[in-house]
Amino acid sequence: MANSLVSLFLFTFLLVGSVQCNPNYGEALAKSLLFFQGQRSGRVPADQQIKWRSNSGLFDGRLANVDLSGGYYDAGDNVKFNFPMAYTTTMLSWGTIEYGKRMGPQIKEARGAIRWATDYLLKCATSTPGRLYVGVGDPNVDHKCWERPEDMDTVRTVYWVSPNKPGSDVAAETAAALAAASIVFRRVDPTYSKELLRTAQQVYHFALQYQGSYSDSLGSAVCPFYCSYSGFKDELLWGAAWLFRATNAVYYYNLVKSLGADDQPDIFSWDNKYAGAHVLLSRRALLNGDKNFDQYKQEAENFMCKILPNSPSSSTQYTQGGLMYKLPESNLQYVTSITFLLTTYSKYMSATQHTFNCGNVLVTPNTLRSVAKRQVDYILGENPLRMSYMVGYGPYFPKRIHHRGSSLPSIAAHPQTIGCDGGFQPFFHSMNPNPNILIGAIVGGPNQNDGFPDDRSDYSHSEPATYINGAFVGPLAYFAGNSFILEWSNQVLSSIDK
């Protein structure tokens, strides 16, 4: 008996040792969701945990005689851009659908983060017949100011698309967000779920019937900030794929098929949805053996072959420290979105012991999982600088993020109004750390040499964004779900001590 206990102890010790080398994914998951409270627009609830934020944008929509309060500021500014906000919502919802069972108590926080966005998106879709509101706040005016959202005194211009000013990209992404969220709430709030799905169908119909890019319709209100560079066909496919997932209706299957041959990029982001749509649709081929979806399985695998570092068809650069490097501006947005696809396709493959080849390289579920884990761990501090790129996680993290609310003193600390120009001196230009820690915020990340200056004015690397976090929640939940092994091993050690 003693020998068996010693053997069990040794096994458990080795297990704990190996697991403890990993970042604390559960903590990172909780913080990645908490971040969204710091981005809230509208009336903050009594249970708000990020206390330095309070009410803002309460009269958003008034210039169009509608209530468009709520939703999220996209990044470090005070503008509500619905195109990236809807994508953030779609990814949060997809993460909750795929990994909700691994989230533990954070499932409630994930639903709350989704609902804060969908409540706003519903208003945007239903307040005025024939219009889809797609943003609040003039970005060109807002970006000239450095002020807290609570002090906002810039004009809150309202933007919309309509039959004569189409926006198929933003409309189809909004439909995707509402459809994906309808699955999240299907069991816990069926009435709300039905409202989300019904509205998703209406908004998608609008996107399909009145085709055109919102960049053409709205010009400098959205470009160059969130131009739809990839066009709108990818959103039409993505929206139809989500509505098919939510309804299983033949109508949406036929729509998916009718959209024809797809581009096969090596990127996935708020702008380009093709890779995400392919992975989403490949699920039917892998989990259900449905041959009608083999095309998407092949396209998903072509994408993986462009991402994997050892693949002969790889078109993805990696830094010396091991970080996927796609583009110099806010690179981590691409890393988190692509990592989501890696973990999710790996999950689908594992369910049926599926493998595939990139040329002569065999790809197993663990191949994808290992690359994904390397990206997650890099972001959480396993990198040449030992810097966590998630604010408030680990001993070293960015202290001077490009974020108005974080960099300016809170209302409690500085009750006097800070006007449009009032925040630049002494706050924006200060070398001091930000007074308010935006817990969970993931910044744009290091440069291609794994360097990071932690400079507030360097928005390409120091600005957080909702869509960076929105895509990261899923992979964090995927890896956090394995932490039960550590809890079990600790219980075994505890029982041996007794």
Side-chain angles (χ1 to χ4, degrees), residues 138-140 215 218-225:
D138 183 334
N140 296 287
S215 303
L218 296 175
S220 64
V222 295
C223 293
F225 316 101

Side-chain angles (χ1 to χ4, degrees), residues 390-448:
M390 177 184 283
V391 174
Y393 177 89
Y396 305 108
F397 53 83
K399 300 290 200 302
R400 299 171 195 83
I401 66 172
H402 183 95
H403 188 277
R404 286 158 177 78
S406 170
S407 69
L408 294 163
S410 67
I411 298 284
H414 189 290
Q416 299 84 3
T417 297
I418 299 172
C420 172
D421 298 325
F424 289 104
Q425 288 287 4
F427 305 110
F428 177 79
H429 295 297
S430 166
M431 289 303 293
N432 293 331
N434 287 6
N436 307 309
I437 297 176
L438 183 55
I439 294 173
I442 304 168
V443 296
N447 60 30
Q448 61 189 0

Side-chain angles (χ1 to χ4, degrees), residues 98-144:
E98 293 291 348
Y99 306 111
K101 289 178 181 174
R102 293 169 173 253
M103 286 182 175
Q106 293 307 314
I107 184 79
K108 182 172 173 285
E109 303 303 325
R111 289 191 199 116
I114 294 164
R115 188 159 189 156
W116 193 271
T118 52
D119 282 353
Y120 165 78
L121 293 173
L122 283 171
K123 290 188 208 178
C124 291
T126 60
S127 291
T128 306
R131 276 187 191 178
L132 173 67
Y133 293 100
V134 299
V136 184
D138 183 334
N140 296 287
V141 174
D142 178 271
H143 289 183
K144 291 173 184 170

Side-chain angles (χ1 to χ4, degrees), residues 3 12 31 40 129 152 162 221 318 380 423 444 465:
N3 284 342
T12 309
K31 289 179 174 177
R40 281 172 169 168
M152 248 186 313
S162 61
Y318 286 79
L380 296 180

Side-chain angles (χ1 to χ4, degrees), residues 316-329:
T316 302
Q317 180 185 344
Y318 286 79
T319 68
Q320 205 164 357
L323 180 68
M324 197 182 291
Y325 194 81
K326 281 293 180 185
L327 288 168
E329 291 208 6

Side-chain angles (χ1 to χ4, degrees), residues 207-394:
L208 198 62
Q209 187 171 358
Y210 305 104
Q211 293 193 18
S213 172
Y214 95 136
S215 303
D216 296 334
S217 296
L218 296 175
S220 64
V222 295
C223 293
F225 316 101
Y226 294 104
C227 254
S228 182
Y229 295 105
S230 67
F232 57 81
K233 191 179 164 189
D234 55 318
E235 279 83 25
L236 288 178
L237 177 67
W238 176 241
W242 273 111
L243 279 160
F244 179 63
R245 177 84 185 261
T247 63
N248 213 27
V250 174
Y251 171 76
Y252 293 110
Y253 166 76
N254 289 337
L255 257 181
V256 164
K257 286 293 188 182
S258 73
L259 289 165
D262 302 331
D263 284 355
Q264 296 194 36
D266 62 355
I267 207 156
F268 178 47
S269 71
W270 57 262
D271 179 32
N272 195 316
K273 315 295 167 31
Y274 282 116
H278 298 157
V279 170
L280 179 65
L281 291 164
S282 74
R283 180 176 175 271
R284 292 286 292 236
L286 285 169
L287 301 192
N288 302 88
D290 189 335
K291 299 290 184 193
N292 292 313
F293 291 84
D294 276 355
Q295 168 196 344
Y296 306 108
K297 180 181 78 169
Q298 188 58 56
E299 287 171 336
E301 291 171 5
N302 290 346
F303 174 79
M304 301 301 161
C305 291
K306 290 176 182 178
I307 300 301
L308 295 175
N310 297 324
S311 161
S313 54
S314 180
S315 57
T316 302
Q317 180 185 344
Y318 286 79
T319 68
Q320 205 164 357
L323 180 68
M324 197 182 291
Y325 194 81
K326 281 293 180 185
L327 288 168
E329 291 208 6
S330 189
N331 178 58
L332 289 188
Q333 65 175 302
Y334 308 109
V335 177
T336 60
S337 287
I338 291 169
T339 298
F340 186 104
L341 298 186
L342 289 169
T343 58
T344 303
Y345 201 71
S346 167
K347 178 177 173 244
Y348 296 166
M349 289 171 69
S350 294
T352 53
Q353 287 79 54
H354 176 69
T355 62
F356 65 92
N357 281 76
C358 296
N360 58 355
V361 176
L362 177 68
V363 179
T364 68
N366 202 47
T367 311
L368 301 186
R369 184 183 180 279
S370 297
V371 175
K373 186 176 184 300
R374 181 74 197 92
Q375 302 311 300
V376 171
D377 293 354
Y378 185 108
I379 291 170
L380 296 180
E382 292 190 10
N383 56 60
L385 295 181
R386 290 285 173 254
M387 165 78 77
S388 160
Y389 291 101
M390 177 184 283
V391 174
Y393 177 89

